[in-house]
Amino acid sequence: MDYQAFCEEFARIFEKNGLREWCRGDIVEKFFILTQRMVETNAVMNITALTTTDKIIPLHYADCVIAAKHIPENARVIDIGCGGGFPLLPLAIVRPDLQMVGVDSTAKKIRYVQSIADELGLAVTAVAGRAEEYQATCRETFDVAISRAVARLNVLDELCMPYVKIGGKFIALKGAAGEEEKAEALGGIEILGGTLQAVQEYELHLENGSEARTLIEIQKVSPTPLRYPRVFGAIKKKPL
Ligand code: SAH
């Protein structure tokens, strides 16, 4: 992969998505290293279905960095089901003021995420575990819980809301069906101590064409009752 060509493609795609402020040399260099590690690691472990920069830059990097403006300065942030490090790693790269934790139930993905975070000098702790279990150790201590591509919102809310402090928020990065998912989750969000703050629909721009996205913000207004989260089977079977 050619560094100069990567920089140009990165700048083009980030600018198209209104993310010009993040096209700084030190940031682009970290994304370049991340891309190399991800592609190398993908040969031995399934990190991503995307293997070319024309897809990785918009669909993994821009898609995640769009959330940066919704996160307050110096926030403590947890990414639930971070998988190969999304949105965890892009947000940690552009926002070194954040203290970030990523949780995923697949231990080998977490080992990879911690090693690349350490190599890039990011303030990231990657934890191997299930979201509904790990919360017992750090309930209501995060300013922000964020998650992408893990579950429908009416399941995801029960995994994420217990982590959020009162006054903090849960950000769900969703695709075209975000509005519909929001509608079916509203009752559960209230039970979990949340209130819907904003639903933002927008287009994520690729080199050619675009895809629909929805960013949902839920404010934490009261404590999550201690009986939540339930075990995963119960959450899936009977979402709130
Ligand atoms: N957020 C990443 C990965 C999405 S794939 C991205 O956007 O690319 C979904 C991930 O969620 C998988 O890595 C899976 O291991 C994890 N996951 C699913 N349910 C989970 C749970 N209950 N607790 C922790 N991780 C979970």
Side-chain angles (χ1 to χ4, degrees), residues 112-129:
Y112 154 78
V113 168
Q114 188 68 68
S115 78
I116 179 69
D118 292 347
E119 181 181 348
L120 296 174
L122 306 176
V124 162
T125 306
V127 176

Side-chain angles (χ1 to χ4, degrees), residues 47 60 64 79-87 103-106 109 129-132 147-151 159 232:
I47 301 279
H60 279 329
C64 295
D79 178 2
I80 299 299
C82 66
F86 299 104
V103 182
D104 200 281
S105 50
T106 307
K109 287 187 188 172
R130 295 200 60 88
E132 60 281 20
S147 188
R148 183 184 85 153
V150 172
L159 299 180
F232 193 68

Side-chain angles (χ1 to χ4, degrees), residues 71-239:
I71 302 177
E73 208 170 330
N74 298 321
R76 220 167 101 73
V77 180
I78 189 160
D79 178 2
I80 299 299
C82 66
F86 299 104
L88 180 72
L89 296 172
L91 288 173
I93 290 173
V94 300
R95 291 285 305 275
D97 60 298
L98 304 176
Q99 277 181 64
M100 301 207 61
V101 175
V103 182
D104 200 281
S105 50
T106 307
K108 64 180 180 185
K109 287 187 188 172
I110 285 296
R111 281 194 296 273
Y112 154 78
V113 168
Q114 188 68 68
S115 78
I116 179 69
D118 292 347
E119 181 181 348
L120 296 174
L122 306 176
V124 162
T125 306
V127 176
R130 295 200 60 88
E132 60 281 20
E133 291 165 8
Y134 181 62
Q135 54 81 31
T137 67
C138 53
R139 217 177 149 89
E140 296 185 339
T141 61
F142 288 88
D143 302 295
V144 176
I146 190 164
S147 188
R148 183 184 85 153
V150 172
R152 275 185 85 85
L153 190 62
N154 65 355
V155 170
L156 191 61
D157 56 3
E158 192 167 338
L159 299 180
C160 293
M161 288 296 287
Y163 288 95
V164 184
K165 285 181 187 168
I166 295 180
K169 60 180 151 178
F170 160 41
I171 300 174
L173 301 177
K174 290 288 177 187
E179 183 69 38
E180 182 190 319
E181 288 191 40
K182 176 214 78 179
E184 73 184 13
L186 280 177
I189 288 167
E190 195 175 316
I191 293 170
L192 294 162
T195 186
L196 184 71
Q197 194 180 5
V199 177
Q200 194 186 326
E201 293 185 299
Y202 54 93
E203 290 293 312
L204 176 70
H205 300 287
L206 287 79
E207 288 271 40
N208 293 302
S210 66
E211 291 186 8
R213 290 288 185 274
T214 313
L215 186 146
I216 301 173
E217 282 184 89
I218 294 154
Q219 185 88 29
K220 180 91 171 236
V221 290
S222 58
T224 300
L226 283 170
R227 61 183 175 280
Y228 304 115
R230 296 163 290 166
V231 297
F232 193 68
I235 301 175
K236 273 265 334 165
K237 196 167 161 207
K238 210 165 184 287

